[in-house]
Amino acid sequence: MMRFIESRDDIVRSAVTILRRPGTPLQFALFPMVHVAEPAFYEQVAARLRGCGLIVAEGLPHAELRQLRRLARVRFDGLVDQVVALDLEALGVPVLWPERQPADEPPGPWDPVLESAGAAVTWLSRIAFPRNLPDVDDTTRPQEPAWPLGRAWDRFTLHDRDKELLLELGRVFRARQQQPLVVAVVYGAYHMAAVAGFLTGRLGYRPAETEWLTVRHGPAAG
């Protein structure tokens, strides 16, 4: 069983895992992200991403998250938000954004409103629940909500985004499988169960190396 997030003795750690496939030079590196952490965590992630050849990332480029970045700078606990601390495009590594709107689709009239609302909700959730993260492994799935609105929200925020991510990883594999390249998957920890299942099941990859990075220490650190 692959573990992605471990919480023990008030210390939260994230497992960076390299997956390899016999006879295939293309490798995948899974970076299970926690979106609020100590600055050192994002510094360690950035240092390791610089050694990769391609990044497949959650969310949107920095330039398209202006409102969230402004809000995310407001914190009172000694932690830092990922959108402030980790600028993937500044690392010198090509980045793919599976969730980004295609360039040939013009923005809709409600997009600015939705962007503002989404930034506010994201910021509030990260302020309210900065330490609310259980252990996560490759069998972990959040319990499905009993009420319809909750199930719709899970489908929008988790399952639909998993599908977009796996489609992108499949395209990368088909195009690059004969290249000696490390592809970093930089997504929230709850998405990693789907990623691991796809890579080890559909594509035949196996975990080869794991390095644990400290996300944050106990409350005293904040």
Side-chain angles (χ1 to χ4, degrees):
M1 179 177 67
M2 295 173 58
R3 296 192 64 77
F4 304 121
I5 297 293
E6 180 179 85
S7 179
R8 184 178 300 172
D9 297 329
D10 288 331
I11 296 176
V12 178
R13 301 192 304 165
S14 172
V16 178
T17 303
I18 304 293
L19 292 95
R20 299 192 179 104
R21 182 176 187 256
T24 303
L26 182 70
Q27 303 177 44
F28 287 90
L30 308 189
F31 285 79
M33 298 305 294
V34 178
H35 300 310
V36 175
E38 294 175 5
F41 171 66
Y42 298 115
E43 293 168 4
Q44 293 178 77
V45 169
R48 285 150 184 79
L49 289 174
R50 289 188 181 96
C52 298
L54 179 68
I55 297 171
V56 180
E58 180 178 15
L60 298 171
H62 249 43
E64 299 178 28
L65 293 173
R66 294 183 184 90
Q67 296 190 49
L68 179 56
R69 283 162 48 208
R70 283 196 293 268
L71 289 171
R73 289 186 173 88
V74 181
R75 296 206 63 85
F76 312 98
D77 53 10
L79 303 177
V80 63
D81 196 291
Q82 179 178 330
V83 298
V84 174
L86 185 62
D87 184 355
L88 297 178
E89 295 161 294
L91 300 178
V93 180
V95 184
L96 298 177
W97 307 91
E99 301 170 51
R100 192 177 189 185
Q101 186 180 38
D104 57 356
E105 291 185 15
W110 289 99
D111 282 5
V113 176
L114 294 173
E115 179 186 359
S116 298
V121 169
T122 300
W123 174 72
L124 286 170
S125 68
R126 294 180 183 179
I127 286 288
F129 306 108
R131 301 181 183 275
N132 184 26
L133 188 74
D135 289 4
V136 178
D137 58 44
D138 64 358
T139 63
T140 299
R141 283 295 190 185
Q143 186 173 357
E144 184 174 343
W147 46 298
L149 186 58
R151 290 196 296 271
W153 179 254
D154 268 13
R155 185 169 62 250
F156 173 72
T157 60
L158 183 66
H159 305 301
D160 289 350
R161 295 169 68 205
D162 282 351
K163 292 177 183 177
E164 293 175 333
L165 171 56
L166 301 187
L167 286 172
E168 189 67 59
L169 294 180
R171 286 190 288 266
V172 169
F173 174 77
R174 290 190 296 273
R176 310 260 192 139
Q177 59 182 295
Q178 296 307 321
Q179 298 178 19
L181 189 72
V182 178
V183 177
V185 183
V186 185
Y187 260 72
Y190 274 132
H191 294 279
M192 289 300 163
V195 174
F198 177 73
L199 293 177
T200 61
R202 182 79 61 86
L203 300 186
Y205 277 81
R206 293 292 179 266
E209 303 173 17
T210 298
E211 178 186 13
W212 287 93
L213 305 181
T214 299
V215 174
R216 56 188 180 238
H217 296 82

